Amino acid sequence: LTEVSAGEILTSTIIKGQPDKVYFGHTEGKVTVWDRKTYTCLGVHSMNAFKANAMLGVGDYLWAGYSSGHIEVYDTTQTPWLMRKEWKAHDGPITGIVMDKSYTWKQDQLLVVSLGTDSKLKAWDGLLKEDFLENDLQYRDAEYCSFQDIKTLVFTWNCGASTPSSLRNQEADSTFMRNLLVSSGSPDILVFGFQELVDLEDKKATAKSFFKSKKKDPVTDQERMSHQYRDWRDYLIRSLDDNMPSDALYHLLQSSTLVGLFTCIFVKSTLRDRIKNLSATEVKRGMGGYHGNKGALVIRFTLDDSSMCFVNCHLAAGQTAAKQRHADIAAILAGDIFPSERDPTRRMNSLVGGGDGSMILDHELCIWNGDLNYRIDTMSRDAVINAIRTGNLEKLLERDQLLVSRRKKQDFPLRMYTEERITFNPTYKYDVGTDTYDTSEKKRAPAWCDRVLYRDGSQRGRIRQNDYRRHEVRVSDHRPVSASFDMQIKAIDPARRQAVWESSQRRFERRKKEILRD
């Protein structure tokens, strides 16, 4: 074990179906797998940023309890391991996980008990019945659902505190939004995510936002929005009115702001009455989570019976701040940021992963956009620019911090998200008003800071990306990026669903008998 750099061993277990393997949990959130006969290491898996304090093999799955108070359940037969379920189990570190074998023959159930430093014992269903039924229902959704294809356009731009009026200075700038909308094919949903809509270097403005009194009387959204936000909102509304087909009427579903972040979501008027459970929230990540100069705006809703979630973020800046960006993303994903859905039928119909809708990953269709600020590593600025000039983008993408982390770090928080292959030049950092990469004193190396990623939480592939491109607007030091998607939205037939539900119940009972017998 000393040959493997994984930290101190805190716990170990075996999985009944894999008798020749031993699993060890380590201080650095890593899990190592060893051959019981040859004493050789079969693999090192970085699962979590927290200590793996307790582990247990339950049925075919590996249960792990962490110092964060979370329990995660993995299917280790797949590569990479597939996380089947994750939840907050205790308010403090988990110190132990055990199975109550006597409960199996007394109650015909598989009981798993966890102990935390919060001095609480908590009991869990080791058979994960709800998850089995949910997964079975989702896998068989074609038997009880009808589907409609909708088109979604997602646009993200760090506009560097520019205003709609500043787009008039150059012809290419003044026509870029029109060109984007005309070529969009009249999508059903349009998501506009802006970053740095106000000058984050304006210390007075950001300080005013930070120290704003929370004792004032509540104000309306319109009163809260500064003129910058109103100008961009009105500009988007006019652009849609002027450039979309006359029979495509759009409704402003939601607009949200957080210091420099701004999100506007428009939907076709024909969809508005089919949308429910609309909710919006913010996650602050600046100054240790107290300030919104960095963070995310998150908006979710349910269209028919498909849950959708949209994240617009601005993460920590700087070439060497990759770990902080990872931490920003992890904090955004880990938060219970939305009201939970209490109706178990609605949860199972529209949500995924056994979630209650309070977290981002509980939603079936998720889009993540923004200025993620990831940079290109181990290359000088001149080498990066030379690669761009010669069209050798692959050389740069091999060193892109986001792509490298997705490829090599099993605990990278956006690992479950997909990004279309990048074929356009880096979008940052330009001299404003030009096509020249940064020639200021800092001479920052170009990078793909501006990204759009998606996560399909269904088991049937309900999202297909059609394009991924950048747009030539020169009023900011960033170039905007857009992505268009085809999404399948489901509508449930209650009678047919009930028949499949009863069939899934019978399938679970057969599986339960097999596991309990073993």
Side-chain angles (χ1 to χ4, degrees), residues 267-280:
V267 299
K268 281 186 175 177
S269 57
T270 52
L271 296 184
R272 183 60 188 92
D273 292 340
R274 295 160 55 186
I275 290 175
K276 51 188 179 293
N277 297 331
L278 174 64
S279 185

Side-chain angles (χ1 to χ4, degrees), residues 17 77 160 166 220 239 351 395 468 499:
T77 63
S166 65
T220 66
S239 297
L351 302 172
K395 180 179 180 180
Y468 194 23

Side-chain angles (χ1 to χ4, degrees), residues 51 87 197 207 246 325 340 351 363-364 367 425 433 510:
K51 297 178 181 179
W87 68 96
L197 208 65
S246 58
R325 291 187 275 276
S340 60
L351 302 172
H363 299 84
E364 188 175 2
I367 304 290
N425 288 344
R510 291 194 295 269

